[in-house]
Amino acid sequence: MSVILLCVLSLVLAGSGLHGRNASVSHEYCVLGAGPAGLQMGYFLSRSQRDYIILERNAGPGSFFQIYPRHRKLISINKIYTGRRNKEFNLRHDWNSLLSDRPNLLFQRISRELYPNADDFPRYLSTFVKELGLKVKYGADIGRIKASDFNGNQGYILTDQNGVSYQCSVLLVSTGLWVPQQVDFLGSDLVEGYESIPTDPEEFKDQAVLILGKGNSAFETAQSILGRASRIHLYSPSPVRLAWQTHYVGDLRAVNNELLDTYQLKSLDGLVEGRLEDIAIVRREKDGGKRRTLYLTLTELLDQNGNNISKVTGQNLPGFHTDNFSLRQPYDRVIRCLGFRFNFSIFDGSARPPQSSGARGRLPGITAWYEGRGTPNMFVLGTAAHSRDYRMSAGGFVHGFRYTVRAVHKILEQRYHNIAWPATKLPISQLQSWILRRVNEASGPYQMFGVLGDIILLRGSYCEYLEEFPLQALPQLSALSGRPLTDHGLLVLVMQYGLNRTDTLGPGRAESEWTKAWRPNFLHPVLYYYNTLPTEKDMRQRPVGWPLPRPEAVHHMVEDFLTEWDQPISHSQPLRRFLEHCLQTDLRAFYAESCFLLSLTSRTPPLFCRQGYLRKQGIVGNSHLWQHAREAGLMADHHGDITPGHDTSVSEYLKHADAAVVSAMNFDL
Amino acid sequence: VFDVNAIVSHVLFSVLFNEVRYVHTPAELLRVESAAKQNSDIVVSHIPVLGLPEHRALMEAAFVYGTKYQFVQTTGTLVLKHMGVVDPSSSQARLWFLHCKGVSRRSDPCPSIPMRKPLNTINIHTFLQLMEAPLTEAVLDPSDVDVVHMHLGVPVLYLFSQPQTQQLDRATAQTLALQLRGEVGVVLIHRDSPNVKTSLKYNAAYRLPQEDVKYFTLNSAEGVVKLFKEELLQEHKSEEEEEDEEHWSDLDILDDEVSESVYRDRDLMLDLESVIELTSDTFQITVTQNDVTVVLFYFKWDAVCMAFIQSYIEVADALEGMNGVKLASVNCGEWTDILLCPLTYTSLVSNPYLLSSSAEVMSFLEGDLYSKHMYLTPVRVLGLFSSTHDMGVTSFEEAARLLRGETILGLFAHKEAEQWVEGLSVNLPALLVSRSPGVPYEVYSLPSSSPTDLVSLIKQVELDRFPELTVENLPWYLELEKPLLLLFIGKEDSTESTKALAEIKQPLSSGQLDSFLPCWIHLGRTPVGRSILEKYLGFVPPLPVLVMSQLKTGEEVFLFPPERPLMAKNILQWIHDVENGQEQPAGLIPDGKWGPPVPFFDFLAIMDQEAPTYAAQRAPKIKTGGREDHREQKHVTPNQRQTPHPSPNPQAPRQHSEL
């Protein structure tokens, strides 16, 4: 399929060359692709009233989802009932919606299924475009992107199939991944691709099927034919990684894992590991050519000279040499489910981002702030930007990249419009409460754990709270956010999974003791305190498995079974003490009476009294609460500590007693 | 008691009256200390009973050393506490040496060393000698060195110094000498002298009184201190420190009074009946339906919010049935989309109270309506207009809205309003200020002006010139940033108190006290005042008592001499004396920094201990860019293991392993 497409593209390019004089359009921002990432960026650009256009080659948004997943079941969770009404919190369990300021523009309007039908997603995206009035140009198939100099800044010129060129000061590439990943081996032409296999299980009736790959698409395919195929084997280099063990949603989700059951219960299906580059698929005629049968063999067993694999003998098959070789039986079909890669081919050399070092080079290499490496003013968004957190976090998925897109937009606003990263100015006495709020409801750091984190710039008696900054870009914080740093240091709030992943379901998997909070398995908030901004070198040399370099002090908030970090002993107080250490100040709260005492007997009363009581926002409390505090020994009882000898109290009490007696008598009369 | 000790001590006491300072309170001692800093050292002694041998010993020591040290004598137990004595009730005489001469900065405290032996002339003499000569240097073998310590019956520690490391050795010796000062003499012996014949395998030695020199090898300075303190001297360990540290060492004890008191109520179901819980669906409707809706935004997990909500419910119960006023709350943990769920605590009190009859005005000033918000402030400000059509009414209402939460305002626009200014030189519209029930009202004429001008006028008249400080009103007065002239009066309204109040009031009108904030605290209504006095003076003197506290400008607290009658002219004289530095401060207000009350739980230290490499930065050599690279490498390795052998070995395919 990709081959055909490429042919079409080259024809288009040739055509545009012939015409020569075509319309040219210019925009400040060009967003390439109207998938979820492109539309998400479109929303932010439209909200900040920027000159932008979203270019889409198909007739509607999210065309990837018109085809994929082939078996039409989305495995992103659409959890509508959370028992909570907090909209921010609920986004933690809504993996399909895009971010917007419309409270009801959520995916649950389209579908109420936990695992919705794939057709619902493009429908949702259309609704999103329509209700927000996003500027999308459909049918503009960009075949060529080249870098160009616009008044000293690098910009990009995009050319579509009609020869129309778009001049873009800033290019936002959200083309997704749609080129199927292939591996070259002998006989790869005998293999069917995930993109084109039939989805009707009946077509697999009583067939032996070999699937190359062990990801979600491989298992999804297996699951669909499980009831019809006679034997399903899955072959790929690495063993199955289960999402519920690795906490990476790109690994095998339990929704698709029925084959694990039939494998382990010995019901004719199985998983095998081996390199893809070493294998070959060969065809042997059976039953006089009536039935096509395919064998998996190794390149080295084939005749090296002729490359002629039409005449395959038993000698060429592993089973000939090893009688119990696992994959010795023939297959009726071999299916390739190896995922997708980024389409680098539309970029001219000058505009082409390098291949990422990770993810087998399938993705473009980008900086920590999502700008292409070596391609200034071109940013990569969405699934294509997953090289930043490949196999680590959720940046390759809608529920993750909707937040990175928002972060990139803030960076754009700062870089091109000098609008600093939004920050909330908080008095230090309210910082703890604010952190607890974020920890208990924020969806960005929760979904993009280890990648996006809140930054708290300490400024003495107040602080600036920046939400969801890309952590790897921390050394460039000032330039990217437009927020200067002072010598008071900074705090970073990150959600993290534990690092020593033991038996996910075994005993001792959960930690409830807050003093052991740094050794958990589950997602929990972590705070890092730095005196000065970490440098790029610090960042490179950070401890193995850490998202950030070693800080001056660190605080892990113990994982919580309910993900509610609101308990006074296990959560709030340890957090307060950590903040007290970082800020070198007492952050305890005091009742007005205590503040009264401290304000008159100390030249600088504690922060809570200065920022609350002395600003006429004291907390009086009531006698019931004071009683508790006194019993706990935290508040002095000023009524009780009258030292005898200095007072005429005894005689005074007597006088009162008299009065009481007298009045009682009067009453009796 | 007329024995020799008593006579000698008393004679010397009179002779040395000027040399030996007598102090009652820690504050007085601090004052002596601050005067002595960088000048001379201080000898402080606590003599529970005068005229006994200990008193005599001290006086004799003072007679000898009086010119060298500042001697301080005390009999009060307060000073004992201040010096860190756990059980001040024991009637033992004690002595401390305060090293004030050597403090590098005047803000540093003087290090104090207690004398551990019983108080007698010989022991005091020995102790003072030891304070003088912590470190001696010699060029002889230990057995030949003659130091004062040996005559004093004190152990001596000898340290040997090599010429090459002399500087370092001397520094170590000095540290040790300081640590062991008063208990052990330290001698540094230079090996470069031919007189020193001690074997090189030892680098230290010690000699207990009446014993021979024992040689040993010194590994660390701490080891020596330990050796002396725990084995050789075998004296009391400091009991005080342990107790203090134990106190909060249990990390799970809440040490925040608000959190703890709210936590103790965790079983209490708050009765929210009188407060409407708003949601984002009901918020708009409720707010528009009522004339005044007070909304409390709260977080369930915020202790301050939850403490506040208790008072809020009480207010709601009190206001139940009042038309047009509704108290509501929003749980910001749930309804994030309502405005910006703020964290600040908004005012409860609707403004202004619309009063429709003189009876209601009465109630507002001192009746039921008054008591409703009594706990907020006793001050009531009432706008008086002859009718609701008066031009000023809207302006006043607007000002009242601006002052919401700061002032309790009433509005009486009625023909009866005239009665309230009758006989006064003020015409309507007017502003009536009631400081407290029973106190005569103040009335001001109300010019027609803009709401903001009205606000500042109201704020101005509201402040009393001679206020009673209460927990509720203090912030308004501290804003003035003036030194306080603070009168403490007792629980009972004695004639003395009334007189004292009147005496201070007297010079008010003449403006002589304008640079001060004259104010008073009634210990009955504001019991915490007693703790303030105690902090200021170290004790609670008979009331009433007048102090001057310069909160912002200085750290000193002055006490109006209790023996002088509290009269206007005496007070003015005293203020004059204080200003001219002729009065000694009676106490100090510490400028302590409010640091963390408890050390934090250091996760990094624990990681380093339990998993040494876990939190360590990577070595610079390994240049793996990100975490993904690292991972990638990891699973390349096992794959390669599974690569079939290059030779067409029939065994090769076996390498395909099943999971």
Side-chain angles (χ1 to χ4, degrees), chain B residues 11 65 270 324 377 425 451:
Chain B
V11 168
Y65 293 99
L270 286 181
T377 164
S425 54

Side-chain angles (χ1 to χ4, degrees), chain A residues 29 41 156 170-173 364-382 384-389 401 403-416 421 448 451-452 468-482 533-537 539-540, chain B residues 628:
Chain A
Y29 293 99
M41 181 51 95
Y156 296 89
V170 181
L171 175 60
L172 302 155
V173 180
I366 48 178
T367 63
W369 51 97
Y370 297 88
E371 195 166 11
R373 287 194 191 278
T375 54
N377 305 328
M378 179 174 101
F379 293 81
V380 182
L381 308 172
H386 195 25
S387 66
R388 284 310 317 173
D389 60 345
F401 64 61
Y403 302 101
T404 29
V405 168
R406 181 157 72 185
V408 170
H409 176 254
K410 290 177 190 164
I411 290 170
L412 301 179
E413 288 289 292
Q414 162 60 20
R415 189 190 286 182
Y416 303 112
W421 194 287
M448 285 301 285
V451 177
L452 296 182
E468 298 167 21
F469 188 82
L471 295 176
Q472 296 306 309
L474 196 59
Q476 288 82 21
L477 176 76
S478 299
L480 292 174
S481 70
L533 200 62
T535 62
E536 282 195 66
K537 184 168 164 248
M539 204 53 122
R540 261 199 319 274
Chain B
E628 57 270 22

Side-chain angles (χ1 to χ4, degrees), chain A residues 3-68:
Chain A
V3 179
I4 299 165
L5 267 171
L6 283 173
C7 294
V8 173
L9 288 178
S10 51
L11 278 175
V12 168
L13 284 175
S16 71
L18 282 175
H19 292 293
R21 40 178 170 75
N22 275 302
S24 169
V25 193
S26 134
H27 288 284
E28 188 169 16
Y29 293 99
C30 297
V31 183
L32 198 53
L39 297 181
Q40 186 67 82
M41 181 51 95
Y43 163 71
F44 289 116
L45 290 172
S46 131
R47 199 185 57 175
S48 51
Q49 298 174 321
R50 303 292 167 215
D51 167 29
Y52 77 98
I53 185 79
I54 305 171
L55 301 169
E56 168 59 48
R57 60 179 169 166
N58 290 299
S63 52
F64 182 90
F65 293 90
Q66 304 281 8
I67 310 165
Y68 303 109

Side-chain angles (χ1 to χ4, degrees), chain A residues 28 63 111 263 271 323 331 367 397 408 496 534 575 628 651 659:
Chain A
E28 188 169 16
S63 52
S111 169
Y263 170 39
L271 306 175
D323 63 353
Y331 296 98
T367 63
F397 311 90
V408 170
Q496 269 175 239
L575 171 65
H628 282 322
S651 59

Side-chain angles (χ1 to χ4, degrees), chain A residues 85 541 589 591 600 613 638, chain B residues 256 261 334 471 531 536 618:
Chain A
R85 296 292 299 272
Q541 294 174 5
Y591 286 116
L600 282 173
Y613 177 69
H638 312 287
Chain B
D256 176 305
S261 53
E334 212 58 22
V471 171
S531 304
Y536 279 172
R618 267 177 272 204

Side-chain angles (χ1 to χ4, degrees), chain B residues 440-490:
Chain B
Y441 312 128
E442 295 159 29
V443 183
Y444 304 87
S445 67
L446 197 56
S448 61
S449 52
S450 69
T452 43
D453 288 345
L454 264 181
V455 167
S456 44
L457 177 70
I458 292 169
K459 277 189 170 173
Q460 194 194 319
V461 300
E462 206 188 354
L463 286 186
D464 202 330
R465 294 191 64 195
F466 182 38
E468 176 192 350
L469 292 186
T470 60
V471 171
E472 291 75 24
N473 71 14
L474 180 72
W476 278 262
Y477 291 102
L478 279 191
E479 267 182 349
L480 302 173
E481 303 209 334
K482 284 182 182 174
L484 306 182
L485 207 56
L486 186 49
L487 180 74
F488 290 84
I489 63 172

Side-chain angles (χ1 to χ4, degrees), chain A residues 84-87 235 237 239 241 263 271 273 275 278 298 300 318 321-322 324-325 357 359-360 387 391-392 430 433-434 436-437 441 499 514-515 517-519 538 540-546 549-556 566 568-569 573 576-578 580-581 584-586 588-594 596-606 608 613-614 616 619 621-622 624-625 628-629 631-632 634-635 638-639 641-642 646-647 652, chain B residues 248 251-258 260-265 281 299 301-302 304 307-308 310-311 314 332-337 343-344 470-471 474-476 478-479 484 491-492 521 526-528 530-532 535-536 540 542 551-552 554-555 589-598 600-601 603-604 606-608 610-611 614-618 620 624-632 635 639 642-646 650 652-654 656-659:
Chain A
R84 296 280 304 272
R85 296 292 299 272
N86 182 325
K87 295 199 157 64
Y235 179 93
R241 285 174 292 218
Y263 170 39
L271 306 175
E273 278 75 60
R275 271 170 65 102
D278 301 328
L298 299 166
E300 61 197 21
H321 307 280
T322 311
N324 67 346
F325 177 65
S357 49
R360 300 201 182 89
S387 66
R391 297 199 39 74
M392 274 223 1
Q430 287 180 15
S433 188
W434 202 267
L436 283 173
R437 201 204 79 186
E441 72 175 28
L499 299 156
W514 72 261
T515 52
W518 64 283
R519 310 182 158 264
D538 295 337
R540 261 199 319 274
Q541 294 174 5
R542 66 189 185 271
V544 177
W546 284 41
R550 183 186 170 97
E552 258 69 56
V554 74
H555 180 68
H556 285 253
D566 57 359
I569 293 171
Q573 177 157 288
R576 195 202 80 215
R577 289 187 175 153
F578 170 72
E580 280 172 342
H581 169 80
Q584 279 302 303
T585 188
D586 189 334
R588 285 178 297 175
F590 295 92
Y591 286 116
E593 189 183 80
S594 302
F596 177 78
L597 171 67
L598 297 170
S599 303
L600 282 173
T601 54
S602 136
R603 288 164 74 195
T604 345
F608 184 84
Y613 177 69
L614 289 178
K616 300 154 196 168
I619 166 86
N622 56 24
H624 168 74
L625 290 168
H628 282 322
E631 277 165 15
L634 293 167
M635 243 175 124
H638 312 287
H639 309 264
D641 62 357
I642 295 165
H646 286 307
D647 231 338
E652 295 293 341
Chain B
W248 294 119
L251 294 166
D252 286 348
I253 293 175
L254 294 179
D255 60 0
D256 176 305
E257 60 187 44
V258 180
E260 171 66 15
S261 53
V262 169
Y263 186 60
R264 285 189 177 217
D265 264 351
D281 309 322
F299 283 120
W301 35 259
D302 185 70
V304 174
F308 189 80
Q310 290 204 5
S311 312
E314 286 164 21
C332 286
E334 212 58 22
W335 305 102
T336 42
D337 44 347
L343 287 172
T344 43
T470 60
V471 171
L474 180 72
W476 278 262
L478 279 191
E479 267 182 349
L484 306 182
K491 277 185 177 190
E492 288 71 31
I521 291 181
T526 314
V528 63
R530 180 172 291 276
S531 304
I532 293 169
K535 282 248 167 106
Y536 279 172
V540 180
L551 272 177
K552 288 292 159 197
E555 54 183 13
I589 296 177
D591 194 14
K593 221 182 128 227
W594 286 83
V598 189
F600 86 124
F601 190 80
F603 277 105
L604 272 183
I606 288 177
M607 289 170 190
D608 288 343
E610 292 182 17
Y614 172 67
Q617 287 283 91
R618 267 177 272 204
T624 53
R627 186 155 144 186
E628 57 270 22
D629 301 346
H630 183 78
R631 284 284 165 73
E632 203 71 0
H635 50 75
N639 296 343
Q642 288 162 356
T643 314
H645 207 269
R654 271 195 185 277
H656 284 278
S657 64
E658 238 187 299
L659 177 68

Side-chain angles (χ1 to χ4, degrees), chain B residues 211-241:
Chain B
E211 280 185 44
D212 286 335
V213 178
K214 291 192 181 72
Y215 294 91
F216 67 103
T217 309
L218 167 93
N219 295 320
S220 70
E222 294 81 46
V224 177
V225 175
K226 211 174 151 194
L227 173 80
F228 273 96
K229 293 234 157 141
E230 287 178 11
E231 290 168 36
L232 299 176
L233 295 171
Q234 273 178 13
E235 278 205 293
H236 28 213
K237 288 184 208 158
S238 47
E239 315 102 55
E240 312 118 49
E241 292 166 20

